[in-house]
Amino acid sequence: MTDSVSHAIRLAARGLSVTVLGGELKSATEALVGPGALDALSKLHFTLGFWGSNGITPEAGLTTPEPNEAMVKRVSLERTTRRYVLADASKLGRTSLVTFADFCDATVVTCGEVPEEYRSFDNVMEVSL
């Protein structure tokens, strides 16, 4: 399941079964947001989930620039058991407009030049590409 139309198309092209949320299509990011998306999420429970984040700090948490997308991320993350945020190291130490989760609410999977202060956190996983 995804709120991203572009991700849904790519997954379906690989032969995977894909379900998209309802809601309003935000053209800039091709994400589905709004009451329809939130209503669909309110009935679902997930074992594993992945999110992107525009900013990640221990103080501000996981952040994104758009309030409607933040709501969808917040609700879906709350309804997921195993939570992973995929973000390159340039997002660490940055803060965007809206917090959708606390820093410790997900494992941050990152690559690139990870700042030293983030290497000591148990929920930050550095990977090589």
Side-chain angles (χ1 to χ4, degrees):
M1 174 155 292
T2 183
D3 68 339
S4 170
V5 173
S6 58
H7 288 126
I9 291 169
R10 284 189 217 126
L11 292 167
R14 292 178 154 223
L16 299 169
S17 175
V18 182
T19 302
V20 294
L21 295 175
E24 175 188 341
L25 178 62
K26 187 170 181 278
S27 61
T29 59
E30 297 180 342
L32 296 162
V33 298
L38 295 172
D39 182 56
L41 285 170
S42 73
K43 300 173 179 93
L44 300 169
H45 303 273
F46 306 104
T47 303
L48 176 67
F50 299 91
W51 295 264
S53 185
N54 297 72
I56 302 169
T57 69
E59 302 79 21
L62 309 173
T63 60
T64 193
E66 211 282 316
N68 287 324
E69 286 188 42
M71 268 199 256
V72 169
K73 288 180 179 195
R74 180 180 306 118
V75 171
S76 60
L77 194 132
E78 289 171 350
R79 303 185 70 75
T80 302
T81 305
R82 293 173 39 208
R83 309 162 182 164
Y84 296 90
V85 169
L86 308 177
D88 66 77
S90 72
K91 308 298 194 265
L92 300 172
R94 293 178 58 189
T95 302
S96 199
L97 182 64
V98 185
T99 296
F100 65 89
D102 289 337
F103 177 75
C104 62
D105 286 345
T107 298
V108 177
V109 180
T110 188
C111 63
E113 296 295 321
V114 176
E116 189 62 40
E117 63 266 26
Y118 286 88
R119 293 176 185 213
S120 64
F121 289 105
D122 291 338
N123 68 318
V124 175
M125 179 187 304
E126 188 175 356
V127 297
S128 299
L129 296 179

